[in-house]
């Protein structure tokens, strides 16, 4: 396997002059204000898993337009006092899975909220449980072109709003330290985490592994694999919709959103990544508004760092939250 994009040396020289759409802040302020009209309405139910060191709950909350979003809440058994929390978002096509699927963060002493992505959860893993009740105009198979002709109807408007609401739901839990809610995810999950950190001032830290949905305009030109090619196929048929589609995508491009983020970030890229080209991830990293560290995996494709990256995240987040001056 060869480099999928640019070398690290060439990334350092890359011109990252991107032009965000006019009214981006107003669009997201309007979107989140409309979401705030709905109470969070957090519901919790215990789940029997036969895991003696952890306890699980089936948690749901009101996301975009009040739609129910499902998540697993995983807590260390017998933990006392409010805990720092990690809100995790899922990669493209996957769902929250089974309660036993993700145990690392709670085993390390964190409250862990594993959030479904609406409408997804049937492509890999153990499944999801959250519908997307909103329909779509004509679209290609997948999620990338649903409602793509208008920023108000685009699929990721709902997903990113759900993410902000997930952070608020986590902060509302008595077991959680409201000043220590962190977000994490890989691929699509990494993009959603970056969006949540950009749109919510309450995020304490963000960990994004090989994030998707960054620098759309470049990704569509250089990526030959799914999911970006869903948009390419759509535009190959709807040739007269190019500018409308690109304008919509600009409102959800995390490379445009991340200059607004201030929480410390740990971002990774893989130099042989064919799904999320390194230059697109690099744009999110270099344009990030807060302090950001980068992990580079020179010989990996879109699997990224996997357990090696998760181990670094554990070390990085522990150091961040226990540093002098960090809230106890």
């Amino acid at each position: 396997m060869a480099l999928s994009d640019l070398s690290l040396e060439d990334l350092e020289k890359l011109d990252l002059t991107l032009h965000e759409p006019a009214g981006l802040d107003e669009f997201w302020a309007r979107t989140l204000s409309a979401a705030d009209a709905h109470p969070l309405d957090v519901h919790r139910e215990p789940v029997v898993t036969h895991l003696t060191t952890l306890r699980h709950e089936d948690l749901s909350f009101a996301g975009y337009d009040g739609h129910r979003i499902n998540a697993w809440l995983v807590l260390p058994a017998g933990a006392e006092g409010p805990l720092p929390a990690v809100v995790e978002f899922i990669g493209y096509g996957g769902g929250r899975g089974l309660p036993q699927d993700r145990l690392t963060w709670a085993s390390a002493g964190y409250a862990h909220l594993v959030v479904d992505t609406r409408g997804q959860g049937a492509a890999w893993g153990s499944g999801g449980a959250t519908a997307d009740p909103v329909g779509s105009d004509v679209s290609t198979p997948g999620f990338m072109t649903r409602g793509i002709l208008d920023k108000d109807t685009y699929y990721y408007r709902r997903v990113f709003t759900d993410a902000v609401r997930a952070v608020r739901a986590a902060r509302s839990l008595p077991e959680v330290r409201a000043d220590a809610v962190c977000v994490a995810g890989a691929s699509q999950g990494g993009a959603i985490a970056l969006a949540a950190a950009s749109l919510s001032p309450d995020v304490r830290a963000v960990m994004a592994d090989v994030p998707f949905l960054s620098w759309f305009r470049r990704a569509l030109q250089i990526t030959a694999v799914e999911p970006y090619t869903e948009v390419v196929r759509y535009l190959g048929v709807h040739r007269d919709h190019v500018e409308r589609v690109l304008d919509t995508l600009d409102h959800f491009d995390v490379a445009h959103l991340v200059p607004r983020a201030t929480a410390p970030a740990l971002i990774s890229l893989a130099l042989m990544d064919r799904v999320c080209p390194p230059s697109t991830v690099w744009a999110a990293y270099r344009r990030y508004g807060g302090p950001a560290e980068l992990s580079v995996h020179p010989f990996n494709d879109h699997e990224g760092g996997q357990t090696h990256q998760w181990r670094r995240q554990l070390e990085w987040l522990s150091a961040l939250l226990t540093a002098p001056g960090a809230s106890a």
Side-chain angles (χ1 to χ4, degrees), residues 4 9 19 79 98 103 105 111 126 135 141 144 150 167 177 202 207 214 228 295:
S4 62
E9 293 76 14
H19 301 286
L98 298 175
L103 309 177
W105 287 110
S126 305
M144 293 291 290
D150 191 314
V167 170
R177 276 178 49 191
D202 302 319
M207 296 165 286
S214 180
Y228 281 120
S295 295

Side-chain angles (χ1 to χ4, degrees), residues 128-146:
T130 300
D132 182 10
V134 180
S136 173
D137 291 330
V138 173
S139 63
T140 59
F143 301 91
M144 293 291 290
T145 62
R146 295 188 180 185

